[in-house]
């Protein structure tokens, strides 16, 4: 079977080398390797604060590519699904480069936060339940994932997310997740690193402050069900310059006014029809006949006025 050489392979609608796919593929490949050397990989590349302070500094980064190896890879599936869904809505806003920086910086920031937490716990006696221990091993991409979740909550604060079975506004998702995670880890004795999650979210919030002025809301696509809210500074600027919206339609208004003058100058119906047929817009989705009104401000600014005018002339 032949393949178009100009068409590069894709995955989930994105090119193979798209950041979302690169992150996904790397995590899946390493997960596959864990089936053969799980304990060795976790020992050398999982995050153990005592090892990091002893010189294994790479662990604050590499831990984010390791996941729990179970019969059903729930840990990997949840993290990668969340990464892909959140990333798909964040990349149109900040771009691929900033997204990649944000993801891996959140992963590293979360790892550093775990180490600092464990060190602080040791300095305070080692019995603080909210803090990490020096010998606890941390693995998983959830630190980076919480960085994405924090940013998603800023861009789409009123979008609803399902956390376990609870619908939560995106602006509250990080903090609700941390509370639920802490309750589960305390009551259910589950191995959840809430410190890692918090570190990833805080890192992303710091990076957002750095990137904030470079975000351009006008470049955003429409995402059904999600209303992106521009930063407060952008909203103020938009209110200060209301005339900009009006200027967008001035050229089309002048064109339509010229068309109407030409129609008025014609002496008979056939002349009007011949004139309008020459300026029709292809594949126009024109309004119902009853809405056509040459004095309506909307009609005067519509690029399909000539189509409606032709239909009117043929009546």
């Amino acid at each position: 079977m032949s393949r178009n050489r100009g068409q590069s392979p894709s995955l989930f609608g994105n090119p193979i080398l798209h950041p979302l796919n690169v992150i996904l593929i790397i995590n899946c490949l390493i997960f596959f390797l864990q089936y053969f050397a799980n304990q060795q990989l976790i020992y050398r590349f999982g995050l153990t604060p005592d090892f990091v302070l002893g010189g294994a500094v790479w662990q604050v980064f590499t831990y984010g590519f390791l996941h729990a190896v179970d019969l059903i890879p729930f840990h990997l599936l949840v993290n990668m699904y969340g990464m892909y869904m959140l990333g798909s809505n964040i990349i149109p806003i900040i771009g691929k480069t900033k997204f990649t920086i944000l993801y891996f910086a959140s992963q590293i920031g979360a790892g550093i936060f775990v180490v600092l937490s464990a060190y602080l716990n040791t300095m305070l006696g080692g019995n603080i339940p909210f803090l990490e221990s020096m010998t606890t091993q941390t693995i998983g991409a959830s630190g980076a994932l919480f960085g994405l979740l924090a940013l998603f909550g800023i861009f789409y604060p009123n979008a609803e997310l399902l956390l376990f079975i609870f619908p939560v506004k995106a602006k509250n998702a990080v903090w609700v997740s941390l509370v639920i995670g802490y309750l589960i880890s305390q009551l259910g004795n589950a191995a959840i690193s809430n410190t890692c999650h918090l570190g990833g979210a805080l890192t992303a919030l710091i990076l957002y402050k750095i990137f904030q002025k470079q975000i351009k809301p006008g470049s955003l696509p429409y995402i059904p069900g999600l209303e992106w809210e521009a930063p407060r500074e952008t909203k103020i600027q938009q209110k200060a310059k209301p005339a900009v919206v009006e200027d967008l339609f001035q050229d089309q208004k002048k064109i339509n006014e010229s068309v109407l003058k030409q129609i008025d100058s014609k002496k008979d119906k056939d002349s009007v029809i011949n004139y309008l047929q020459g300026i029709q817009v292809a594949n126009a989705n024109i309004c119902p006949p009853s809405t056509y009104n040459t004095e309506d401000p909307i009609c005067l600014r519509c690029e399909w006025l000539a189509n409606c005018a032709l239909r009117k002339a043929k009546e």
Side-chain angles (χ1 to χ4, degrees):
M1 181 176 65
S2 63
R3 182 166 67 102
N4 187 351
R5 294 184 179 180
Q7 184 179 2
S8 59
S10 63
L11 181 64
F12 301 123
N14 292 315
I16 288 294
L17 295 181
H18 189 281
L20 294 176
N21 286 330
V22 171
I23 294 171
L24 175 64
I25 292 170
I26 291 175
N27 277 269
C28 289
L29 287 176
I30 292 176
F31 182 78
F32 178 75
L33 292 177
Q34 285 185 253
Y35 276 106
F36 302 97
N38 186 36
Q39 292 305 315
Q40 279 295 318
L41 287 174
I42 290 178
Y43 180 80
R44 296 178 183 277
F45 300 106
L47 175 57
T48 305
D50 197 22
F51 291 176
V52 173
L53 295 178
V57 292
W58 60 83
Q59 291 186 353
V60 298
F61 175 67
T62 56
Y63 80 98
F65 299 102
L66 298 167
H67 290 84
V69 177
D70 299 312
L71 182 61
I72 299 176
F74 184 76
H75 191 202
L76 175 71
L77 290 175
V78 169
N79 282 342
M80 292 300 97
Y81 176 79
M83 179 278 297
Y84 216 100
M85 293 302 101
L86 294 173
S88 295
N89 292 317
I90 292 173
I91 286 177
I93 303 173
I94 65 175
K96 297 176 185 177
T97 301
K98 291 187 183 68
F99 168 81
T100 304
I101 294 172
L102 174 105
Y103 181 88
F104 288 118
S106 296
Q107 183 168 303
I108 294 171
I112 293 174
F113 205 76
V114 169
V115 175
L116 293 177
S117 172
Y119 182 76
L120 178 61
N121 196 11
T122 300
M123 298 297 293
L124 296 176
N127 297 314
I128 309 299
F130 295 97
L131 302 178
E132 303 286 338
S133 74
M134 293 295 288
T135 57
T136 300
Q137 290 180 322
T138 301
I139 59 174
S142 54
L145 183 63
F146 265 72
L148 301 184
L149 186 60
L151 202 59
F152 185 87
I154 292 174
F155 294 147
Y156 305 102
N158 295 316
E160 281 198 348
L161 300 175
L162 277 179
L163 299 181
F164 300 97
I165 59 173
F166 306 105
V168 177
K169 294 287 187 182
K171 60 185 175 183
N172 303 320
V174 167
W175 316 117
V176 173
S177 297
L178 289 171
V179 171
I180 294 175
Y182 179 75
L183 291 176
I184 292 176
S185 61
Q186 294 301 310
L187 301 178
N189 197 28
I192 297 176
S193 180
N194 296 294
T195 306
C196 181
H197 297 168
L198 178 60
L202 292 178
T203 302
L205 293 175
I206 293 172
L207 287 175
Y208 168 72
K209 289 297 181 182
I210 297 174
F211 292 149
Q212 185 175 3
K213 293 182 179 180
Q214 302 176 36
I215 296 172
K216 299 178 180 179
S219 63
L220 280 175
Y222 171 69
I223 304 174
L226 302 180
E227 290 74 33
W228 184 74
E229 294 195 4
R232 185 172 179 272
E233 294 83 354
T234 304
K235 292 180 180 179
I236 294 174
Q237 292 173 1
Q238 290 173 343
K239 290 180 180 179
K241 299 179 181 180
V244 173
V245 176
E246 177 68 19
D247 290 340
L248 295 175
F249 302 96
Q250 286 303 312
D251 291 342
Q252 187 61 49
K253 181 183 177 184
K254 291 178 180 179
I255 293 173
N256 289 342
E257 288 174 344
S258 175
V259 168
L260 294 174
K261 287 181 181 179
Q262 289 292 327
I263 292 174
D264 291 339
S265 68
K266 304 299 179 183
K267 296 181 179 180
D268 54 66
K269 180 178 179 180
D270 290 339
S271 298
V272 172
I273 292 174
N274 289 334
Y275 165 69
L276 291 173
Q277 284 178 337
I279 57 173
Q280 292 295 287
V281 178
N283 301 318
N285 185 19
I286 57 179
C287 302
S290 59
T291 62
Y292 176 66
N293 181 359
T294 57
E295 296 181 359
D296 189 324
I298 295 177
C299 286
L300 285 175
R301 289 162 174 78
C302 179
E303 62 179 322
W304 301 326
L305 179 136
N307 296 63
C308 290
L310 177 61
R311 180 176 58 188
K312 181 71 174 177
K314 290 180 177 180
E315 291 180 353

